Amino acid sequence: MEFARTLDGMLDPDPQVRRKAGDYFLNNMQRMARVVMLDLPAALNVPLVPVWVRPAHQEIDTVVYSSRKAFLREANAQETLNDVNDVQLDRYYKQFMQGMGRPKRPFGIGEPTGEISCGRRLGGSLGAGGVYIDSSLNLHDPTLKPAFVEAVNNMVHLARAIHRQGVFKSCLFNARQTLHLERASADDAFVSEPNMAINYELSAVPELEDRTRQHSYFEDGPDPEELLVLPESIMRVLQQLNDIHHTGMIIFEALPQHLKIHSYYRLLDPAKEHEFRTLLANILASVNQIEGLGVSGFMKMPYKDTRYFAHMASQPERYYPRDPREYVRKLTNP
């Protein structure tokens, strides 16, 4: 209880409370370190939003992409982010999401819209009555499911404590599937290599399609922070893809001499594979029409399965037992 309350104090919105709790922790940490802590048996958590397990057959490098950085900027302390430029904020955010370190496989997850070879996206919309969450999350390492479910549920709990309106979108994808195109200068066109292709996974059998529940590429509306305007030829292909039952995402990141195409697709209607593959090839054939710099992304989930959670300022108190040995004894010998 002492340690929990100390941590709570160090996370308090009041800087004076944070400093006081930090001082208390530093003054008492050696004594706290001697507290007896046993691994207690715990029931498996039920995921608050759907989590699927699809074992991966290849190595995955998870990378995080998120738009709506203004959401993060507005939610943080004024004095800490006011003087941070967008590039610094973007780097901070990506490191924050990935555990303050190098690119890694945090959960080996995969699926932004259906499953993104490595990760997926979680989109949240905050409103006056609570939080609405659309998600498509696939875990690619079954041994990590308890930890992954715990992390997903913690995100939901934290979102329920945010009392402001706004939209936050994020996805995780496999960097090993990113396509890279180079050009000599910003005045030149990007040209895809002849053997270049946007990869996708194919469902072994048709997955049930219910058009009343489909989640569209375009229903979320334009993102004010995605400044790259895609050519009409690519937008037309994306609209055609939208009519084929699939899940996935594609993100175009145009730099002065470099174009990155991040993608994850899973086709859920095997009968449409030829049409699907042709449309993906048409996207690459049109990259020479991309002008300007910036990012533009589209994500599609298999179904519209929005989960609603009412606001909750805090979870019920749940402290580590005062006598853990007695606690375990009672559990094993009721």
Side-chain angles (χ1 to χ4, degrees):
M1 184 182 292
E2 177 189 31
F3 186 52
R5 289 179 172 174
T6 301
L7 287 177
D8 196 46
M10 290 193 288
L11 295 170
D12 195 275
D14 187 339
Q16 291 187 346
V17 174
R18 293 199 301 268
R19 285 193 290 268
K20 183 178 179 181
D23 290 341
Y24 181 89
F25 178 65
L26 291 175
N27 291 333
N28 294 276
M29 60 191 302
Q30 289 186 339
R31 179 181 53 78
M32 288 184 183
R34 294 194 294 270
V35 174
V36 174
M37 301 287 288
L38 306 179
D39 289 333
L40 303 178
L44 292 177
N45 280 338
V46 176
L48 296 174
V49 295
V51 171
W52 308 97
V53 177
R54 283 200 181 99
H57 303 295
Q58 61 178 357
E59 284 293 309
I60 289 175
D61 286 321
T62 301
V63 175
V64 175
Y65 166 79
S66 174
S67 58
R68 320 269 181 174
K69 289 188 291 293
F71 184 95
L72 180 69
R73 186 184 292 275
E74 291 174 19
N76 272 268
Q78 200 80 7
E79 67 273 12
T80 60
L81 286 180
N82 258 359
D83 300 323
V84 179
N85 63 41
D86 285 341
V87 174
Q88 291 171 320
L89 182 64
D90 189 58
R91 183 181 301 114
Y92 161 79
Y93 175 76
K94 287 180 180 178
Q95 290 176 338
F96 167 76
M97 287 292 287
Q98 297 181 50
M100 300 302 290
R102 55 183 173 73
K104 58 181 180 179
R105 295 173 284 280
F107 305 113
I109 73 176
E111 195 169 9
T113 206
E115 51 192 6
I116 198 177
S117 192
C118 177
R120 243 52 347 191
R121 73 143 156 302
L122 184 79
S125 176
L126 302 174
V131 57
Y132 297 85
I133 297 178
D134 288 308
S135 65
S136 183
L137 295 162
N138 280 336
L139 177 66
H140 289 328
D141 184 346
T143 65
L144 295 176
K145 186 174 181 180
F148 184 65
V149 170
E150 181 88 12
V152 169
N153 287 354
N154 284 341
M155 278 200 296
V156 175
H157 294 322
L158 291 170
R160 297 178 70 181
I162 300 175
H163 287 263
R164 60 177 293 269
Q165 292 191 0
V167 176
F168 174 81
K169 297 192 300 183
S170 182
C171 68
L172 297 97
F173 53 87
N174 185 4
R176 297 191 179 203
Q177 289 194 8
T178 297
L179 301 179
H180 298 269
L181 290 77
E182 303 288 343
R183 63 183 176 183
S185 72
D187 297 325
D188 295 325
F190 291 111
V191 179
S192 62
E193 298 292 334
N195 60 345
M196 189 171 282
I198 297 174
N199 292 326
Y200 62 91
E201 296 176 10
L202 179 65
S203 178
V205 295
E207 297 192 18
L208 201 59
E209 181 174 12
D210 180 355
R211 288 191 171 271
T212 64
R213 296 180 58 216
Q214 278 192 348
H215 191 287
S216 169
Y217 272 125
F218 304 100
E219 64 188 23
D220 289 332
D223 190 322
E225 295 180 24
E226 294 185 344
L227 304 179
L228 178 64
V229 178
L230 293 174
E232 179 59 31
S233 57
I234 292 181
M235 293 300 300
R236 190 163 51 246
V237 172
L238 291 173
Q239 289 175 332
Q240 292 173 290
L241 282 172
N242 200 37
D243 293 330
I244 299 177
H245 192 41
H246 74 283
T247 179
M249 63 110 222
I250 188 166
I251 299 170
F252 300 86
E253 185 177 353
L255 304 171
Q257 295 176 284
H258 192 188
L259 175 67
K260 302 177 186 178
I261 303 178
H262 313 288
S263 68
Y264 163 80
Y265 280 115
R266 181 177 176 84
L267 178 59
L268 304 178
D269 185 356
K272 295 290 186 71
E273 184 177 10
H274 176 72
E275 180 183 354
F276 191 76
R277 186 170 61 245
T278 300
L279 290 173
L280 294 181
N282 290 343
I283 289 177
L284 289 180
S286 300
V287 295
N288 59 350
Q289 300 175 33
I290 292 178
E291 298 179 352
L293 306 177
V295 174
S296 182
F298 296 87
M299 294 180 270
K300 182 178 174 69
M301 286 178 269
Y303 299 111
K304 186 72 174 176
D305 189 18
T306 304
R307 302 301 172 97
Y308 170 77
F309 300 92
H311 285 309
M312 179 179 287
S314 63
Q315 291 292 301
E317 290 183 347
R318 181 168 172 260
Y319 295 110
Y320 189 85
R322 183 181 184 90
D323 186 343
R325 294 190 179 93
E326 178 65 14
Y327 177 84
V328 171
R329 188 190 65 76
K330 287 183 178 180
L331 283 179
T332 55
N333 300 294

